[in-house]
Amino acid sequence: MKTYVVQGPTPLKGDVPISGAKNATLKLMAAALMVPGEVVLERVPRISDVSLMCEVLERLGVEVAFEGSTLRIDATNEPKNEATYELVSKIRASIQVLGPLLARLGSARVSMPGGDAIGSRPIDLHLRGLERMGAEFSSEHGYVEGVAARLTGARVLLEFPSVGATETLLMAGTTAEGTTTIDNAAREPEIQDLAQFLNEAGARVLGAGTNTITIEGVAKLHPARHVVLPDRIEAGTYAIGAAATGGDVTLRDIRPGDMELVLQKLEDSGAEVTRETDSVRIRATGRPAPMDLVTLPYPGFPTDLQPPMMVLLAQATGPSILTENVFEARFIFVDELNRMGAQVRVEGHHAVIKGVERLTGAPVRAPDIRAGAALMLGGLSAHGETRIHDEGHIERGYEDFVAKLEGLGAVVSVTEG
Ligand code: UD1
């Protein structure tokens, strides 16, 4: 347990370098299981989710070396085919090893991920898609066990553009026999990054970033080196932080196009946004304007930035309605935010936000990664001291969070226990 003690209000001011994307890195690491040789990933963020995923790969018998921000993964030897409950329960994204293991080994046994704080997270779309590619699944004792002598290309229409299911099928399709088409595919930039890596490793993937992805199966993948794309969610967190604190922040080393809607919403709130090729400056003064906002799969507004956005709108000059369409339980942190003087009422998947003149510091608890970061932004905009009790969520997703905030002028201290 860590406690972040934040003094506010502090306008965030200065430059902040953005790390490689967590959500791309974890899937690239899973994809490395399919490569009989060394994969080198650069610009890998030093966060605990990446360390846990390293552990998952090591337990599967794969060699992993992490130096600076370069991660080497060597799966020359065939990995084991089982990811245990102990591992999957620590990091849900480890379910992504299912597709690669099945593709490489013809069988895989992976613990079913349980729910987490942001809701139940089923994997039915992953399994149904793999079944269409010839896999057979049974589930017993909390494990899902799949077999497929060799996966075969198929046409898969996803009921919902799930990020994880698109990635599972994308990876599985690369070495399947024949052509796989994923319709209603998720279009997130991290999926494009994964497809780019797979192509660098010899795969033939077309259409990643659109809602139809076509994968022509190849016999095997070969070693590759890849630079992870910038983390648009980390960047968005600091951008919203600038707007929420009346600050002036320049995000460095990013792809502004990947976060266009977030930038537009910040402009709607009254912030001034200056876009350059690989950086963006966000300047804000005074209270933000209210707005209605809906989370949707990319290129819609990202659900991961909904909690920070709620902190911004909690201080708006009028009422806002925020609708959560991706993870229904994402509003669990509202009670914590209300302890800081916000006036937010949840009705189903809508949050009605009244907009108050000022938040006030309070002791709060971080229920997940993004809500933890949002509460930190709340603490920076609130008057007085905020203590955020966190069981390691923030460190799962944000590299050097405290140091980067301090670089922007925040006054934060951390105590253990
Ligand atoms: C990924 C991201 C997460 C982000 C989310 C949506 C990672 C590690 N995590 O999560 O940060 O918030 O995308 O952008 O990349 N669903 C099903 N059945 C399935 C799969 C998903 O019903 O088989 C549902 C989920 O319960 C959820 C919705 O689809 O309601 C979206 O999930 P999905 O897009 O798969 O998100 P993740 O890949 O889990």
Side-chain angles (χ1 to χ4, degrees):
M1 176 73 89
K2 278 195 171 157
T3 302
Y4 297 87
V5 184
V6 191
Q7 309 297 335
T10 311
L12 294 179
K13 285 196 171 156
D15 284 19
V16 61
I18 299 302
S19 304
K22 163 178 101 72
N23 287 352
T25 302
L26 299 174
K27 321 313 168 61
L28 292 163
M29 293 174 74
L33 288 169
M34 299 180 66
V35 179
E38 189 182 64
V39 165
V40 182
L41 300 176
E42 289 174 36
R43 201 181 182 178
V44 172
R46 286 251 164 211
I47 51 178
S48 61
D49 263 10
V50 168
S51 308
L52 284 170
M53 196 66 176
C54 286
E55 206 183 307
V56 171
L57 297 186
E58 280 169 344
R59 296 284 186 88
L60 289 169
V62 169
E63 280 177 35
V64 178
F66 198 2
E67 272 179 42
S69 59
T70 302
L71 181 62
R72 291 170 193 277
I73 302 167
D74 191 336
T76 303
N77 299 324
E78 280 201 346
K80 292 180 198 141
N81 75 344
E82 176 170 313
T84 60
Y85 173 75
E86 188 211 340
L87 289 176
V88 178
S89 61
K90 278 198 225 161
I91 171 166
R92 193 189 174 281
S94 58
I95 190 64
Q96 300 286 164
V97 303
L98 177 65
L101 289 180
L102 200 53
R104 176 135 181 220
L105 307 171
S107 73
R109 188 168 183 268
V110 177
S111 171
M112 299 276 282
D116 63 14
I118 65 170
S120 84
R121 299 176 89 174
I123 55 165
D124 55 316
L125 301 176
H126 302 235
L127 301 185
R128 252 185 272 156
L130 290 170
E131 274 170 357
R132 288 194 61 85
M133 298 175 72
E136 285 177 16
F137 291 100
S138 56
S139 80
E140 244 178 19
H141 308 299
Y143 278 77
V144 52
E145 203 163 332
V147 284
R150 181 165 180 204
L151 293 168
T152 47
R155 201 176 182 95
V156 182
L157 169 60
L158 290 176
E159 213 172 289
F160 179 89
S162 150
V163 172
T166 302
E167 290 163 337
T168 288
L169 300 172
L170 171 56
M171 293 188 278
T174 56
T175 56
E177 185 151 13
T179 304
T180 300
T181 308
I182 312 169
D183 277 323
N184 199 21
R187 296 160 61 187
E188 270 67 3
E190 293 74 25
I191 287 170
Q192 297 176 44
D193 201 54
L194 176 61
Q196 191 186 327
F197 162 74
L198 290 168
N199 285 341
E200 285 156 358
R204 294 199 191 132
V205 181
L206 282 175
T210 73
N211 49 19
T212 302
I213 302 179
T214 307
I215 311 135
E216 211 185 296
V218 297
K220 65 177 193 172
L221 299 180
H222 57 66
R225 177 180 280 269
H226 180 77
V227 183
V228 179
L229 90 168
D231 197 317
R232 67 195 164 95
I233 305 299
E234 186 201 18
T237 304
Y238 293 110
I240 297 169
T245 60
D248 180 351
V249 169
T250 301
L251 313 167
R252 295 280 174 208
D253 316 319
I254 60 160
R255 298 197 327 202
D258 288 349
M259 51 187 298
E260 180 51 30
L261 191 58
V262 176
L263 299 177
Q264 282 182 28
K265 288 293 169 186
L266 292 180
E267 284 174 324
D268 290 351
S269 80
E272 196 182 315
V273 176
T274 315
R275 297 161 180 80
E276 304 289 349
T277 316
D278 62 357
S279 69
V280 169
R281 181 173 179 191
I282 296 101
R283 270 173 289 186
T285 46
R287 289 172 67 191
M291 70 179 79
D292 291 345
L293 184 71
V294 177
T295 67
L296 282 172
Y298 190 85
F301 193 89
T303 173
D304 286 352
L305 290 178
Q306 180 259 102
M309 212 53 194
M310 191 178 301
V311 170
L312 175 71
L313 297 177
Q315 303 166 70
T317 50
S320 303
I321 296 182
L322 217 160
T323 302
E324 174 56 63
N325 283 320
V326 183
F327 287 112
E328 76 283 0
R330 264 241 146 100
F331 288 143
I332 40 163
F333 89 113
V334 164
D335 289 343
E336 302 298 312
L337 191 57
N338 284 344
R339 304 190 70 247
M340 300 178 70
Q343 294 196 20
V344 183
R345 197 178 75 243
V346 175
E347 288 180 9
H349 62 130
H350 304 287
V352 182
I353 306 162
K354 194 166 170 209
V356 296
E357 203 174 324
R358 53 155 67 176
L359 298 176
T360 51
V364 290
R365 190 166 294 275
D368 66 62
I369 306 178
R370 307 303 171 188
L375 290 168
M376 185 76 98
L377 301 186
L380 290 166
S381 11
H383 289 252
E385 182 177 286
T386 295
R387 301 177 79 85
I388 303 161
H389 302 285
D390 178 22
E391 286 164 20
H393 294 295
I394 291 174
E395 288 178 343
R396 285 182 49 201
Y398 289 89
E399 185 173 47
D400 297 335
F401 196 43
V402 169
K404 287 186 185 184
L405 287 173
E406 283 174 342
L408 295 172
V411 182
V412 185
S413 62
V414 190
T415 57
E416 303 274 347

